[in-house]
């Protein structure tokens, strides 16, 4: 008898057009997506549904720190899911306690609260600050222009970029912005209601701008003097991306920036992204004197610090340590930066400058009107460059209208870095 095989449903056909159609009909269109449907990955490569291979120098916006489909992450997920995935925070579990200890060990004396995302980790810091200043009527948090702190209502109020706020007014009260890397402006902005200052060690979405050592040390002094909490957002620049666990440790590593008889520490620090290598988890660390401010009943989330998420994060710490991926981010990052600087020097008609630390690198493009191939499009220079690089088989991340970011996985290999630079040069050369 002749067998009749039914046509597969669109989801099984797995082609770009049908996936895009599913999104058009069913997914809220809040993201500007590229014309790319990805199917699977291995290490620093991902493949689209048509089988084309891309070198992923964005790693899911600084998330997939061990690359794609890393066997250690798969193993941690499988092993822990056979024991316990979730129990709620009504109970103690070993992975959460151990992960908190690993984070404390890497930053300094304090405690950790677990959440699920970067925005939520920052929300915890806002609540910490409000609790700290509550009895004195202080509640205002100063954040930097061009910062990015997430897309919740408080997150967009904290973020120093108008484009994320537009259409969602009135803004959540209690946030004001100050120019980044300007200590005097911070001092001038403090009001009787101010309770904290929050900055990124390296601004990411704002275009890859590191804080200067003088700014960090100056803010620490200012916060001590004015009884403010110094809060840092390490969501994107943390987790060894700069070559040290947290960006402030890298920025202040030279002895000339050591504080005599003490050590620079912020009072609170948020993390997410690479902490789970692609499995959602966020957290904030709070310095010892303030570690018990949020007592029982003051803050909570159902999924924060599940045994599954914590087991994955613990495994990632182990792999980074054993394979010395911090050193890789520092050394290969240095090589990449030198190469990007070479491109900036050789193609000044396309690239303005290269900047960043470790594996958090930015390439600032010249205004699109000055690049003939870009001038007539209504898309920004950063988007058009990202599109061209995708066509050449490389994924990068735009930041604003002028900057493309390289945020590769921490285990990027030298030959992959070489391949990335060769392809970027090819594209830049074609535009020069
Ligand atoms: C510095 C920084 N903070 C917070 C966030 C928000 O994190 P999430 O998207 O996980 O909420 C991001 C995301 O890009 C970020 O870069």
């Amino acid at each position: 008898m002749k067998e009749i095989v039914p046509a597969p449903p669109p989801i099984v056909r797995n082609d770009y057009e049908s996936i895009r159609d599913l999104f058009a009909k069913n997914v809220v269109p809040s993201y500007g997506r590229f014309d790319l449907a990805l199917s699977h990955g291995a290490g620093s490569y991902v493949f689209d549904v048509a089988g084309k291979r891309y070198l992923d120098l964005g790693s899911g916006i600084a998330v997939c720190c061990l690359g794609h489909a890393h066997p250690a992450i798969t193993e941690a997920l499988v092993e822990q899911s056979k024991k316990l995935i979730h129990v709620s925070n009504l109970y103690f579990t070993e992975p959460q306690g151990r992960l908190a200890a690993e984070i404390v060990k890497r930053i300094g004396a304090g405690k950790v609260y677990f959440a699920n995302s970067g925005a939520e980790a920052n929300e915890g810091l806002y609540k910490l600050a409000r609790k700290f200043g509550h009895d004195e009527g202080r509640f205002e948090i100063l954040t930097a222009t061009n910062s990015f702190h997430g897309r919740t209502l408080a997150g967009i109020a904290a973020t120093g970029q108008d484009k994320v706020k537009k259409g969602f007014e009135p803004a959540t009260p209690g946030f004001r912005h100050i120019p980044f890397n300007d200590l005097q402006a911070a001092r001038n902005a403090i009001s009787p209601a101010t309770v904290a200052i929050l900055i990124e060690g390296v601004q990411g979405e704002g275009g890859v701008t590191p804080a200067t050592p003088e700014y960090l040390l100056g803010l620490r002094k200012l916060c001590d003097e004015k009884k403010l909490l110094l809060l840092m957002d390490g969501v994107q620049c943390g987790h060894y991306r700069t070559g040290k666990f947290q960006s402030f440790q890298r920025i202040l590593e030279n002895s000339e920036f050591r504080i005599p008889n003490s050590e620079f520490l912020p009072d609170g620090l948020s993390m997410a992204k690479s902490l789970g290598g692609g499995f959602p988890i966020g957290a904030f660390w709070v310095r010892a004197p303030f570690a018990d401010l949020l007592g029982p009943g003051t803050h909570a989330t159902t999924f924060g610090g599940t045994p599954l998420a914590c087991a994955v994060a613990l495994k990632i710490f182990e792999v980074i340590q054993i394979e010395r991926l911090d050193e890789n981010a520092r050394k290969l990052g240095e090589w990449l930066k030198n190469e990007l600087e070479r491109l900036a020097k050789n193609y000044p008609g396309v690239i303005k400058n290269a900047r960043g630390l470790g594996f958090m690198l930015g390439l600032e493009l010249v205004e699109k009107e000055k690049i003939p191939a870009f001038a007539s499009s209504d898309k920004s220079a950063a988007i058009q460059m990202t599109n061209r690089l995708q066509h050449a088989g490389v994924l990068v991340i735009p930041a604003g209208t002028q900057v493309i970011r390289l945020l590769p996985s921490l285990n990027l290999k030298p030959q992959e870095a070489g391949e990335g630079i060769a392809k970027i040069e090819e594209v830049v050369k074609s535009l020069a």
Side-chain angles (χ1 to χ4, degrees):
M1 213 173 87
K2 202 172 162 208
E3 201 179 350
I4 298 170
V5 182
I11 190 79
V12 175
R13 278 213 312 275
N14 206 23
D15 63 276
Y16 172 71
E17 292 304 333
S18 58
I19 292 170
R20 203 189 151 119
D21 196 42
L22 285 173
F23 272 67
K25 290 194 178 109
N26 305 294
V27 178
V28 171
S30 68
Y31 297 95
R33 295 179 201 267
F34 291 105
D35 293 336
L36 208 56
L38 299 174
S39 141
H40 58 287
S44 284
Y45 291 99
V46 285
F47 298 81
D48 69 15
V49 291
K52 178 173 169 179
R53 191 177 84 153
Y54 301 84
L55 178 66
D56 184 2
L57 296 181
S59 65
I61 321 187
V63 168
C64 306
C65 58
L66 300 188
H68 299 280
H70 194 287
I73 293 185
T74 307
E75 189 193 308
L77 282 166
V78 169
E79 289 312 309
Q80 184 58 43
S81 67
K82 286 183 193 163
K83 290 192 263 181
L84 263 188
I85 291 178
H86 170 85
V87 289
S88 98
N89 281 302
L90 291 172
Y91 313 103
F92 298 101
T93 57
E94 188 188 332
Q96 186 176 138
R98 282 183 44 220
L99 181 59
E102 289 297 325
I103 292 170
V104 167
K105 190 169 94 186
R106 285 165 172 79
I107 303 178
K111 289 182 181 172
V112 180
Y113 172 89
F114 288 101
N116 308 284
S117 67
E120 200 193 339
N122 284 335
E123 289 276 343
L125 291 182
Y126 312 145
K127 283 183 73 175
L128 181 82
R130 287 217 174 176
K131 197 86 169 72
F132 173 68
H134 186 262
D135 293 348
E136 299 162 339
R138 297 192 296 152
F139 59 89
E140 184 185 67
I141 301 172
L142 302 179
T143 68
T145 45
N146 270 332
S147 61
F148 185 82
H149 299 296
R151 294 287 196 144
T152 57
L153 275 179
I156 60 174
T159 293
Q161 302 188 47
D162 286 342
K163 67 180 184 198
V164 307
K165 304 172 193 277
K166 238 173 112 188
F168 299 103
E169 300 85 354
T172 303
F175 296 93
R176 222 154 25 91
H177 309 310
I178 50 177
F180 191 54
N181 274 335
D182 184 339
L183 199 54
Q184 192 56 43
R187 181 176 283 279
N188 294 345
I190 295 167
S191 80
T194 307
V195 73
I197 298 177
L198 166 68
I199 57 153
E200 291 158 86
V202 184
Q203 289 192 332
E205 302 297 311
V208 190
T209 312
T212 63
E214 294 78 11
Y215 188 54
L216 290 183
L217 294 179
L219 282 185
R220 180 65 278 173
K221 247 173 134 174
L222 182 62
C223 287
D224 289 342
E225 184 192 320
K226 303 282 184 186
K227 265 189 79 191
L228 311 179
L229 293 184
L230 176 57
L231 307 175
M232 293 189 75
D233 181 333
V235 167
Q236 188 166 147
C237 58
H239 225 76
Y240 299 102
R241 183 147 295 281
T242 60
K244 284 272 172 88
F245 181 50
Q246 292 301 329
S247 61
F248 71 82
Q249 296 164 333
R250 171 79 203 258
I251 293 167
L252 297 172
E253 68 185 357
N254 293 337
S255 56
E256 63 192 288
F257 301 123
R258 295 264 151 74
I259 313 169
N261 306 320
S262 95
E263 178 197 10
F264 173 96
L265 279 177
D267 298 312
L269 186 146
S270 58
M271 52 205 105
K273 289 191 181 274
S274 282
L275 179 62
F279 195 87
I281 181 170
F284 71 78
W285 167 93
V286 46
R287 196 161 69 86
F290 313 106
D292 294 330
L293 266 177
L294 293 176
T298 56
H299 197 41
T301 170
T302 297
F303 292 123
T306 63
L308 190 60
C310 293
V312 170
L314 281 164
K315 182 56 80 178
I316 289 170
F317 271 140
E318 208 181 298
V319 173
I320 290 173
Q321 200 162 329
I322 291 168
E323 298 184 6
R324 296 313 314 246
L325 298 183
D326 51 342
E327 282 302 313
N328 191 52
R330 174 188 291 265
K331 284 194 193 135
L332 201 48
E334 201 58 38
W335 183 84
L336 273 172
K337 190 175 167 190
N338 287 337
E339 284 295 292
L340 294 176
E341 279 169 350
R342 177 180 66 77
L343 297 186
K345 204 166 138 243
N346 290 352
Y347 305 97
V350 182
I351 301 169
K352 256 191 189 163
N353 62 60
R355 52 182 185 248
L357 288 172
F359 275 171
M360 187 163 183
L361 298 166
L363 209 49
E364 184 172 341
L365 307 172
V366 305
E367 293 72 25
K368 77 170 181 190
E369 292 72 23
K370 295 186 187 156
I371 304 175
F374 285 180
S376 61
S377 166
D378 56 0
K379 290 186 177 146
S380 71
I383 296 282
Q384 292 190 68
M385 181 62 93
T386 303
N387 275 322
R388 285 189 180 235
L389 287 169
Q390 280 172 12
H391 192 72
V394 180
L395 303 188
V396 298
I397 312 281
T401 57
Q402 294 307 125
V403 177
I404 58 162
R405 272 173 294 172
L406 272 55
L407 305 161
S409 40
L410 302 180
N411 55 5
L412 184 79
K413 298 187 179 88
Q415 109 241 8
E416 293 163 344
E419 178 191 335
I421 290 294
K423 288 193 167 159
I424 293 171
E425 180 158 17
E426 207 178 285
V427 169
V428 170
K429 204 171 172 180
S430 75
L431 294 167

